[in-house]
Amino acid sequence: MTGTAASLNRVDGAWAESTALNFLHTLTGALRAWEAVPEVPLLTIPRAGVWEVNIQVRGVASLPAPGAAASDTGVVAGMYKNGALVPGTEAMVIYHSEGAGDQGKQIQATGSRQVMHLFAAGDTVGLGAYRLGTFGSAAVVSNGDGRTYISAHWVAPVGDTPA
């Protein structure tokens, strides 16, 4: 697995997950521009087959007070495989919209996405995210109030099919 022993927890060849992480990753890209969240270490898949991957993301969005025009911001997250987004794994974590003249606020929420995906041994799984809206700030965060993590559980060998 990629990462340090302190940041990863591997139970055995059938389970892999990041441990309790503490970080703040501000999303600085353009509107809907995907970026990696390197504070969540990559998980390396130890054996080929179908894996159930769970991604949990805590997002935070802040809007400035009060604006002359309507404003919005938010966080969308998704699963990266070998450095590329896997279409269909996207999840809106948080979205905040205010009308013109509304008071600026910060909101936080935790969202998750669970997917079944075929991997080869040695594939890596990572977290990507992008910001919604062009006002305020958006970030991915993990601490004692809510965690961001990735876990993976091997469920079937390559070629396994439903009965």
Side-chain angles (χ1 to χ4, degrees):
M1 296 171 63
T2 305
T4 65
S7 63
L8 296 173
N9 180 24
R10 180 172 163 186
V11 177
D12 61 29
W15 284 94
E17 70 178 334
S18 55
T19 60
L21 302 170
N22 292 292
F23 68 86
L24 171 69
H25 178 88
T26 301
L27 298 169
T28 59
L31 174 68
R32 297 182 183 269
W34 284 99
E35 59 186 88
V37 180
E39 293 86 354
V40 178
L42 297 176
L43 296 182
T44 299
I45 299 298
R47 62 175 159 173
V50 176
W51 288 73
E52 178 183 63
V53 178
N54 183 45
I55 300 169
Q56 179 170 296
V57 179
R58 180 172 164 221
V60 60
S62 297
L63 288 170
S71 57
D72 62 341
T73 191
V75 175
V76 172
M79 180 180 80
Y80 275 22
K81 175 181 172 182
N82 300 327
L85 176 71
V86 177
T89 65
E90 306 91 334
M92 182 182 291
V93 177
I94 192 168
Y95 180 75
H96 183 50
S97 178
E98 291 184 359
D102 282 353
Q103 296 298 310
K105 298 176 182 76
Q106 180 190 81
I107 59 172
Q108 300 183 29
T110 302
S112 65
R113 179 80 169 95
Q114 192 170 22
V115 297
M116 303 292 264
H117 191 78
L118 179 63
F119 292 95
D123 282 347
T124 60
V125 179
L127 178 67
Y130 68 75
R131 63 179 293 145
L132 287 168
T134 56
F135 296 92
S137 65
V140 174
V141 65
S142 184
N143 62 32
D145 294 330
R147 300 292 180 185
T148 294
Y149 68 85
I150 300 173
S151 66
H153 179 221
W154 183 81
V155 294
V158 173
D160 194 20
T161 58

